[in-house]
Amino acid sequence: MNLVARLKQQLFRWRSDGTAPLRLGQRRIFIIPSRAGLLYAVALIVMLIGAINYNLALGHALVFLLAGLGIVGMIHTFRNLHGLVVTPGRSNPVFVGERAHFELRLDNDRPTPRLALELAAEEGLPVFAATEGRKGTRSSIPVTATHRGWLALPRVRLSTGYPLGLFTAWAYLQPSMRCLVYPQPIASPLPPALPTPVGGERTGDGGQEDFAGFRDRQPADSPRHVAWKASARHAGEGPLLIKQFAGGAQLQLSLDWQATEPGLSAETRLSILTGWVLAADTADACYGLRLPGYAIEPGSGEAHRQRCLEALALYQP
């Protein structure tokens, strides 16, 4: 690590803060005059010179009154951040090209509110927040996902100019948070399905077209055969449902790496597989995923979908 990097790390605390709640102390808060504050200071100096030249006692009093007002504003700007507790939250997986949102909770243990708070990741968009006295609020920090895999939350700048805007106080936050980024899906026709006998009440040579309805889940039924979407409509008030088929073998989709065009790049092939996973899930089909050196058995449902997408996100060709 070079000298400049070490200096920045010491000055701005460019190291992880972990996952525990973080209380902003005086050593983490920086404060400097804003552009308006500099103009305010210049105006006071001009007024002071005029008061001295013309020996105006009232002018001296006005200058010192305004200077005192600026100092009070500086103290309140600093106190707007001091003692604020920042707690890392959670982030939901996204696809490449979307914006990941990292949740941070701001808790205020003082009776006075904290207003005009601004949070921004190093490469993200600013978001604004405010907390009432002895209450907390949640802020979602957006960060654009450019690559699949784990996306770590960049350094976050928490700043404020409240109440007068003459000073800007800020602190750098580096919570240990990350978001899983799935490959960007590419829509393409699904590979042909293969008739494969699987569990359930099936006889004959039918297929998925022979769907006959639902029945209540029995203890012997595998969770893979639960119709999660249909069960969710009961909002937990009824038993889980199992699909019934009047006959035939269920069609299984094999989403295989080898079924994609070999001449394409690895990222493009992963994107095609991601599109297949989403299409198969939308069709409520039974599908498996095969990658070089790794395979996921056929299944369906939200948990199976997430498992397949996670495998695609973290796959290393």
Side-chain angles (χ1 to χ4, degrees):
M1 184 182 299
N2 57 38
L3 179 61
V4 175
R6 285 202 300 269
L7 183 61
K8 288 182 178 179
Q9 187 177 45
Q10 293 297 324
L11 287 177
F12 302 109
R13 301 180 65 86
W14 285 5
R15 57 178 179 267
S16 175
D17 292 317
T19 57
L22 168 66
R23 179 180 292 275
L24 296 182
Q26 63 181 12
R27 297 186 61 182
R28 297 199 60 137
I29 302 175
F30 306 88
I31 185 168
I32 60 172
S34 64
R35 182 175 299 178
L38 293 175
L39 293 176
Y40 185 79
V42 171
L44 289 184
I45 292 174
V46 172
M47 292 173 61
L48 180 61
I49 293 174
I52 293 174
N53 286 340
Y54 293 100
N55 195 21
L56 297 176
L58 188 58
H60 284 83
L62 179 61
V63 168
F64 288 118
L65 175 63
L66 294 177
L69 181 63
I71 293 174
V72 171
M74 179 185 67
I75 294 173
H76 280 275
T77 301
F78 180 85
R79 283 175 53 80
N80 202 34
L81 294 185
H82 186 260
L84 194 65
V85 178
V86 182
T87 305
R90 56 173 298 178
S91 61
N92 295 321
V94 297
F95 293 93
V96 171
E98 295 181 346
R99 281 185 180 147
H101 289 81
F102 296 86
E103 183 182 277
L104 293 179
R105 178 177 176 82
L106 307 178
D107 287 300
N108 177 18
D109 58 2
R110 291 208 307 245
T112 55
R114 299 174 188 265
L115 306 175
L117 302 174
E118 178 180 328
L119 298 102
E122 193 170 14
E123 298 178 356
L125 300 174
V127 294
F128 300 93
T131 65
E132 299 181 6
R134 301 195 186 285
K135 290 187 178 179
T137 186
R138 297 181 185 276
S139 292
S140 185
I141 313 299
V143 178
T144 302
T146 58
H147 299 88
R148 66 178 177 88
W150 290 112
L151 171 65
L153 174 64
R155 187 178 53 134
V156 177
R157 185 177 187 267
L158 171 60
S159 62
T160 182
Y162 181 82
L164 299 179
L166 300 179
F167 290 86
T168 300
W170 76 94
Y172 290 117
L173 313 173
Q174 186 68 75
S176 181
M177 299 177 64
R178 62 180 186 174
C179 172
L180 185 60
V181 181
Y182 301 143
Q184 188 173 33
I186 294 179
S188 61
L190 283 169
L194 301 174
T196 304
V198 294
E201 301 175 5
R202 304 177 177 87
T203 58
D205 296 325
Q208 287 183 328
E209 294 80 6
D210 299 327
F211 172 69
F214 298 99
R215 64 171 173 80
D216 294 345
R217 177 176 182 257
Q218 302 300 319
D221 291 325
S222 171
R224 292 190 309 167
H225 302 149
V226 175
W228 295 106
K229 292 184 177 179
S231 301
R233 298 191 185 101
H234 298 286
E237 298 179 358
L240 297 177
L241 301 177
I242 298 292
K243 284 186 176 180
Q244 283 187 308
F245 294 85
Q250 186 184 29
L251 293 180
Q252 285 187 354
L253 291 171
S254 179
L255 310 181
D256 196 334
W257 170 276
Q258 301 299 332
T260 59
E261 178 61 39
L264 299 175
S265 66
E267 295 301 322
T268 302
R269 299 173 79 174
L270 290 173
S271 294
I272 293 175
L273 288 170
T274 302
W276 285 353
V277 169
L278 298 180
D281 180 74
T282 302
D284 203 14
C286 181
Y287 59 95
L289 177 65
R290 289 189 177 278
L291 297 170
Y294 184 76
I296 296 178
E297 294 300 319
S300 60
E302 179 62 24
H304 182 70
R305 171 182 175 273
Q306 291 184 2
R307 185 184 174 195
C308 292
L309 292 176
E310 181 177 341
L312 293 169
L314 302 178
Y315 176 70
Q316 297 297 327

